Amino acid sequence: LAYKFDFDHPIYHDEAHLAAVRAVVARVRRWRDGWKPDRAYYVDGIDHVAVVDRRDAPDARAVLLGGIRAELWWFLDRNRSLDAIMREFEHVDRAFLETTLEVWLHRRWICQIVDRFLCVVPRKGPRVPRPVKAEPVRRPKKSVHLPMFDEVNA
């Protein structure tokens, strides 16, 4: 047995909707046809990141990120909430972090969905192993000997 399914829906006769779909498809095709490899990527260093972005300027040079910026870049290798970023970098000025995120959003190096951020520039070459951050050592509180309680404990 075979049945040819015939489907008709009013949306297929909505000219405004069809025009919008055609516009999206045309933009996707232009993007696909204009894509070239290695126009934006980053290279891992031991203590820095080199970001190369030639999407808007073919002769652009690498931007080196070191220190806190490099650590933030590596932290954004998976989507992170703004709260998680602020907790991870609680020792860093909040305005500095927010400004850095805004600059990277403007450059299209990261994306933001609601309050979550993610690096979208692909890595070129191997990931450089870095030492794992040690958890802070939690020392037990020292007990204090109080001689006045010796008789009570005897």
Side-chain angles (χ1 to χ4, degrees):
L1 287 175
Y3 177 75
K4 182 179 177 186
F5 186 74
D6 186 20
F7 180 77
D8 192 20
H9 191 276
I11 201 165
Y12 292 118
H13 305 289
D14 181 349
E15 286 303 318
H17 173 76
L18 293 173
V21 169
R22 287 185 193 109
V24 168
V25 168
R27 288 193 72 180
V28 168
R29 284 185 178 151
R30 278 195 307 276
W31 171 81
R32 179 197 64 197
D33 295 344
W35 183 84
K36 293 178 185 155
D38 294 337
R39 287 178 35 185
Y41 60 90
Y42 77 94
V43 178
D44 241 349
I46 292 174
D47 61 351
H48 67 279
V49 173
V51 181
V52 178
D53 188 355
R54 295 187 177 115
R55 292 175 292 179
D56 298 324
D59 58 344
R61 296 178 187 227
V63 176
L64 293 179
L65 306 175
I68 297 298
R69 286 185 179 96
E71 289 179 31
L72 179 59
W73 184 272
W74 293 316
F75 188 68
L76 295 177
D77 68 341
R78 59 181 55 105
N79 75 75
R80 309 284 188 160
S81 69
L82 185 57
D83 286 342
I85 295 168
M86 295 305 156
R87 276 192 312 273
E88 180 70 16
F89 296 94
E90 65 185 357
H91 59 286
V92 179
D93 180 55
R94 184 181 180 101
F96 173 84
L97 293 170
E98 289 174 345
T99 301
T100 301
L101 293 171
E102 285 297 322
V103 168
W104 292 354
L105 281 166
H106 179 74
R107 291 181 176 175
R108 298 174 294 156
W109 292 355
I110 63 173
C111 71
Q112 177 184 8
I113 300 174
V114 188
D115 79 326
R116 302 190 76 79
F117 297 85
L118 174 69
C119 177
V120 294
V121 175
R123 185 184 69 250
K124 186 173 185 176
R127 180 179 303 276
V128 174
R130 282 176 287 286
V132 177
K133 271 181 149 177
E135 290 294 320
V137 176
R138 289 178 173 56
R139 294 189 174 103
K141 293 182 180 178
K142 293 182 179 180
S143 60
V144 177
H145 177 70
L146 299 173
M148 68 180 124
F149 294 113
D150 284 347
E151 293 175 11
V152 176
N153 293 332

